[in-house]
Amino acid sequence: MKKIASVLASTAIVSMASGAAFAEKWDMPLAYPATNFHSENAAMFAQCVTDATGGELEIVTHPNGALFAGNDIKRAIQTGQAPIGERLISAHANENPLFGVDSIPFLATSFDESHKLWDAASEEMAKVLDEQNLVYLYAVAWPPQGLYAKKEINSAADLQGVKFRAYNAATARIADLAGMAPVQIEAAELSQALATGVVESFVSSGSTGVDSKVWESLTHFYDVQAWLPRNVVFANKDAFEALSDEVRTAVTTCADEAGTAGNAKAEELTAGYLKTLEENGMTVAKPSEELRAELAAFGETMTNEWVESAGEVGASIVEDYRAQ
Ligand code: PCA
């Protein structure tokens, strides 16, 4: 009996006793662990929608790549296999360079700058997503990206030949420029990849370092503050448009709130993550002057490459951002 009830409850559409109202359930795949602040924020967004619609639309999050692996989430939503979800948008820069606007090294390195860059880019981003059958709902920045390693890194030469985990085109390009071997690995697989020696270095935030307990394998974190990539939450356009006006308004209102709350949370938690790395025995340091200058030179190369690949649209976003 209990089993039947749960099967019924988990079907997409469950008719309600209250006449015309139909309760719909949206499964929301997430790539990152349940305790990650993006996932917690998405769970609050889901609850907000469920509450605001009186259960007419129930959103249920599925963290840690459990429903779809990170790299499959965007396509699943585009094709309607999932109605909504969250994805690290820069992982799709190979589809459109615009998706990598938040991962241009040293273009926007603080929360304030990152928000300005996003303001300059988000309208175009929503347009590109719309062309892919996706409705942009909100985006939340990760804390600034630093360099993790299992030895002291004083210059780019120390990175030569190191096995490096990449999460998008920008991180793979840094690996190329520094003579490292990049391997694309989702955060959900990171601890294991480190433990088995598949990778020994990567660029990410303190947040992901803490999520993955990287101190079990690594020793150093350099607070490079290279960029702040974003997770974007979007919905399948057909699923979104099939909602009633009221429910759609609830979704967009909760999305606006989640964007604001998530970004505030990211900023609030940033210093604590680095403290946790330190408390677990890692050396947390600023990069040496030499390493910083070498990474900045990679950044310049990559900014030029990005502007070239993103054409007029890209150039005008960077121009708008710099003019702010
Ligand atoms: N964590 C994500 C992306 C950026 C970040 O800080 C990751 O490493 O997959």
Side-chain angles (χ1 to χ4, degrees):
M1 189 60 206
K2 210 168 158 200
K3 197 164 172 204
I4 293 169
S6 83
V7 167
L8 281 177
S10 68
T11 53
I13 296 172
V14 179
S15 61
M16 298 239 306
S18 56
F22 283 90
E24 191 166 348
K25 180 181 160 220
W26 276 12
D27 288 310
M28 180 175 184
L30 313 171
Y32 295 94
T35 52
N36 176 270
F37 76 95
H38 286 282
S39 304
E40 287 177 346
N41 192 55
M44 282 191 277
F45 160 75
Q47 191 62 50
C48 175
V49 172
T50 305
D51 291 347
T53 62
E56 203 175 317
L57 176 60
E58 184 197 1
I59 301 184
V60 178
T61 59
H62 298 268
N64 216 27
L67 199 56
F68 291 97
N71 208 32
D72 299 327
I73 289 175
K74 182 166 169 287
R75 181 187 302 276
I77 302 164
Q78 280 175 247
T79 57
Q81 288 171 276
I84 191 170
E86 178 190 78
R87 178 61 177 149
L88 177 72
I89 196 67
S90 60
H92 297 278
N94 53 344
E95 294 169 27
N96 187 319
L98 191 70
F99 294 148
V101 67
D102 60 20
S103 303
I104 304 168
F106 305 111
L107 182 65
T109 61
S110 65
F111 280 96
D112 279 356
E113 288 178 355
S114 151
H115 296 327
K116 280 184 190 159
L117 179 60
W118 197 255
D119 284 348
S122 59
E123 202 176 305
E124 193 58 35
M125 183 74 69
K127 211 169 103 189
V128 173
L129 290 171
D130 178 80
E131 285 160 8
Q132 295 189 335
N133 201 35
L134 296 168
V135 178
Y136 170 80
L137 291 173
Y138 71 87
V140 171
W142 287 92
Q145 305 292 289
L147 175 69
Y148 287 92
K150 63 195 291 186
K151 62 176 183 182
E152 210 176 285
I153 306 289
N154 292 312
S155 69
D158 294 335
L159 293 169
Q160 279 279 342
V162 163
K163 287 182 264 175
F164 183 81
R165 175 252 178 172
Y167 63 65
N168 64 9
T171 46
R173 183 71 179 122
I174 288 184
D176 287 346
L177 290 166
M180 295 186 282
V183 196
Q184 186 96 13
I185 290 171
E186 290 295 325
E189 319 297 334
L190 183 56
S191 298
Q192 205 191 338
L194 289 166
T196 55
V198 171
V199 295
E200 48 197 4
S201 176
F202 64 100
V203 163
S204 190
S205 60
S207 172
T208 288
V210 170
D211 284 347
S212 303
K213 297 193 170 63
V214 296
W215 48 82
E216 289 174 358
S217 304
L218 304 181
T219 51
H220 289 73
F221 177 78
Y222 294 98
D223 190 13
V224 173
Q225 306 188 354
W227 66 80
L228 289 78
R230 280 179 193 241
N231 281 1
V232 175
V233 170
F234 34 63
N236 173 279
K237 197 158 128 186
D238 308 310
F240 184 78
E241 286 177 353
L243 299 172
S244 70
D245 286 353
E246 291 78 18
V247 172
R248 229 181 293 154
T249 303
V251 172
T252 51
T253 306
C254 290
D256 289 348
E257 286 173 16
T260 306
N263 281 306
K265 201 70 188 170
E267 198 163 351
E268 179 194 319
L269 294 172
T270 294
Y273 290 132
L274 304 193
K275 210 166 146 235
T276 303
L277 296 177
E278 244 172 353
E279 281 166 4
N280 284 283
M282 292 188 74
T283 301
V284 174
K286 289 273 165 217
S288 71
E289 197 43 48
E290 191 180 354
L291 179 63
R292 201 202 53 76
E294 287 167 326
L295 294 175
F298 295 164
E300 212 167 299
T301 303
M302 291 171 64
T303 305
N304 294 336
E305 287 171 351
W306 187 83
V307 168
E308 198 161 301
S309 68
E312 257 172 56
V313 172
S316 96
I317 289 171
V318 171
E319 212 172 286
D320 279 6
Y321 160 67
R322 286 193 166 136
Q324 283 182 60

